[in-house]
Amino acid sequence: MNIKQFYDEGLAHASYAILSEGKVALVDPGRNPQQYYDFAEESDAQIVAVIETHPHADFVSSHLEFHKNEGATIYVSKMVGAEYPHTGFDEGDSFQMGKVTFHALHTPGHSPDSISILLKDEIGKDHALFSGDTLFIGDVGRPDLREKAGNMTAQREELARMMYHTVQNKLKPLADDILVFPAHGAGSLCGKNLSDARQSTIGEQRATNWAFSDLDEKTFMDSLLQGQPYIPKYFGYDVDMNKKGAPAYQRSLSQVSIWPEGSTLPEGALVIDARKNEQFVKGHIPGAIHIMNGGKFETWLGSIVGPEEKFFLVADSAAELEILITKSAKIGYEQLIKGAVVNPDGMTEKGTSFDVEAFKANPEAYTVVDIRSRDEHANSPIFEGSLNIPLQELRERAKEIPTQKPVLIHCAGGYRSAAGSSIVAGALDSAEVLDFSEAIKDFQVPVAH
């Protein structure tokens, strides 16, 4: 038996291939199927099964593609109401592949239809738990994503209660030496205190994970519900797409409309400009939103742009454009790209430079807007009296910003403020909008460790 983990840094998403006797089962595969095909080919094996622990909110899975191309059986809980061909995989169900056996545990809490998969080795010993978004390293999955999306909806309190019972009745009885392989790591929005570690054991989680401590139901629920991160606009869209099954990856990418370099974009179109900051400041389409091609591009794209919107994607090279389209596809947003173009015509709007010394001399002369999260703003304040509007809410709330003074946008390191200042500049025509950018780092108090 061989277990291979695939890790997508951008979405902090872990997926798995389990190999036994020339057969491969995948758990929670990402959108691009190629790396799994490569693994199967290198192992001289065939992908025969795909297990979905639940309909994911933060990425689009390729499960349907493996069924159509390889004839792989998709195993998923009957509760999902999956619209693709599948075999129900619920509490007590199991199947054998080669010398290993997969057992389903119903582990609701992150979603009502979540399962975890217990892998037994060739002698029938419990070997590993593929815990989906139920158990993370150091935390458990957030319970507030299924109030409006999916076949089964549930209130966050109800799911938090389910998670308590999942931990007590399903996870705590497991043996200490069982390996734990979760679907996400640090940086994912599917939980709040995820570790950087990529795998663990039940024993280690018993000793270190707050959810395993001796808490009563109410204390557990209160802890779980408190301080969860925001819910991006795209999450419900991905739950629904995963329930239906996504279109084939390469075919969908090939349908994205690539416009000739220097094309003129329609007036008033929603434009996502992913070029570097210095290029954007030199000139951009008026009203363009500046989401730089960075480590979290896809998350911010799906947090700022809603799934009901169509947009144009701007880059400074064809190679960069290709990368951005594949990142958009991870969350199913390649279908929203109206046109992708290198350096379009009409980039006449210039960014304004920010004079840090002038700000230091007279900070009262500016309206300071902190676009970090509410928790960041509350727990690590930088400027007294700053207005806190988190980046993902800016398009809807920019008009709340007073414009009598120059408006100065800041985040924690400069990446988010590039997007934020572009949104505010587009929304408030008459205002002078400035981006604090990376200069903000000099104003923050170092955190003592």
Side-chain angles (χ1 to χ4, degrees):
M1 170 176 48
N2 176 16
I3 298 171
K4 163 95 170 166
Q5 183 185 66
F6 301 87
Y7 200 80
D8 179 332
E9 297 282 355
L11 292 170
H13 162 227
S15 55
Y16 302 90
I18 300 93
L19 169 70
S20 177
E21 305 280 282
K23 292 176 179 171
V24 173
L26 303 176
V27 177
D28 296 331
R31 181 74 193 280
N32 182 351
Q34 196 54 50
Q35 59 188 344
Y36 311 107
Y37 283 134
D38 291 346
F39 172 77
E41 197 177 330
E42 286 157 19
S43 311
D44 197 19
Q46 190 189 352
I47 297 166
V48 299
V50 182
I51 310 171
E52 290 287 294
T53 55
H54 63 293
H56 299 277
D58 65 311
F59 71 92
V60 172
S61 170
S62 51
H63 51 268
L64 182 56
E65 196 157 345
F66 291 108
H67 171 73
K68 286 183 170 173
N69 293 349
E70 303 292 299
T73 303
I74 306 170
Y75 293 91
V76 65
S77 170
K78 286 190 188 81
M79 288 182 268
V80 168
E83 294 169 26
Y84 47 81
H86 63 279
T87 295
F89 199 49
D90 289 286
E91 182 73 33
D93 291 338
S94 63
F95 71 91
Q96 194 166 352
M97 183 197 77
K99 290 185 173 173
V100 298
T101 310
F102 297 87
H103 286 261
L105 300 176
H106 182 217
T107 51
H110 171 68
S111 67
D113 45 24
S114 284
I115 57 170
S116 298
I117 297 108
L118 194 56
L119 177 68
K120 290 181 185 272
D121 64 17
E122 49 267 30
I123 58 167
K125 185 177 183 294
D126 293 347
H127 178 73
L129 183 76
F130 298 94
S131 55
D133 287 7
T134 297
L135 175 62
F136 294 133
I137 313 302
D139 202 358
V140 287
R142 64 189 294 179
D144 56 345
L145 297 183
R146 289 294 289 277
E147 295 188 316
K148 298 187 183 80
N151 184 52
M152 294 181 78
T153 56
Q155 295 305 304
R156 58 192 69 194
E157 292 78 14
E158 191 188 336
L159 281 166
R161 184 174 289 108
M162 286 181 186
M163 184 64 87
Y164 175 77
H165 291 285
T166 285
V167 173
Q168 297 300 317
N169 305 325
K170 299 292 171 70
L171 303 180
K172 278 188 173 179
L174 295 172
D176 282 349
D177 63 348
I178 293 173
L179 297 168
V180 174
F181 292 113
H184 290 99
S188 165
L189 292 171
C190 292
K192 55 183 173 179
N193 294 312
L194 280 64
S195 163
D196 285 327
R198 301 278 168 86
Q199 67 176 78
S200 182
T201 61
I202 290 290
E204 192 178 12
Q205 290 312 293
R206 205 186 303 284
T208 59
N209 189 323
W210 73 270
F212 280 80
S213 48
D214 196 16
L215 301 171
D216 60 68
E217 186 180 276
K218 185 181 183 315
T219 310
F220 178 95
M221 287 172 62
D222 290 347
S223 301
L224 182 55
L225 290 164
Q226 198 180 355
Q228 289 290 356
Y230 74 97
I231 300 174
K233 292 181 169 80
Y234 78 92
F235 269 24
Y237 169 77
D238 277 15
V239 168
D240 290 340
M241 189 180 287
N242 283 321
K243 184 173 161 277
K244 290 186 184 85
Y249 178 71
Q250 287 297 348
R251 191 179 312 129
S252 200
L253 288 187
S254 71
Q255 287 168 356
V256 174
S257 178
I258 310 290
W259 289 32
E261 183 167 352
S263 290
T264 303
L265 303 186
E267 205 165 326
L270 174 58
V271 176
I272 303 300
D273 190 327
R275 295 173 304 146
K276 292 183 176 65
N277 199 35
E278 52 271 27
Q279 295 167 317
F280 186 85
V281 168
K282 277 184 196 156
H284 55 268
I285 302 270
I289 296 175
H290 187 206
I291 309 176
M292 284 186 281
N293 179 16
K296 294 282 174 210
F297 172 81
E298 49 271 55
T299 298
W300 283 115
L301 174 66
S303 300
I304 292 168
V305 176
E308 71 290 344
E309 301 182 278
K310 300 278 189 190
F311 62 93
F312 285 87
L313 193 53
V314 169
D316 72 335
S317 71
E320 194 89 351
L321 208 52
E322 195 177 324
I323 290 166
L324 292 161
I325 293 167
T326 61
K327 286 186 174 186
S328 304
K330 287 189 208 171
I331 63 168
Y333 267 36
E334 84 286 358
Q335 296 179 65
L336 309 185
I337 300 172
K338 208 163 183 183
V341 59
V342 172
N343 297 329
D345 187 37
M347 298 200 287
T348 55
E349 190 85 4
K350 299 212 174 343
T352 44
S353 57
F354 166 55
D355 185 340
V356 181
E357 296 310 316
F359 172 76
K360 284 180 180 170
N362 188 10
E364 300 300 314
Y366 300 82
T367 296
V368 179
V369 183
D370 178 357
I371 62 166
R372 297 175 301 161
S373 70
R374 288 180 181 80
D375 281 354
E376 286 173 284
H377 177 76
N379 300 333
S380 314
I382 300 176
F383 301 114
E384 205 177 321
S386 64
L387 177 63
N388 178 220
I389 305 179
L391 173 55
Q392 69 277 6
E393 298 172 18
L394 259 186
R395 285 179 71 201
E396 291 76 26
R397 297 181 56 198
K399 296 274 197 287
E400 295 173 24
I401 301 169
T403 56
Q404 296 88 332
K405 304 173 187 175
V407 176
L408 182 54
I409 309 287
H410 84 81
C411 60
Y415 180 82
R416 283 175 285 178
S417 65
S421 54
S422 69
I423 290 169
V424 175
L428 306 177
D429 289 342
S430 55
E432 184 185 357
V433 180
L434 304 167
D435 177 7
F436 219 118
S437 195
E438 293 182 13
I440 191 64
K441 292 172 184 172
D442 298 335
F443 290 79
Q444 296 179 72
V445 180
V447 179
H449 288 289

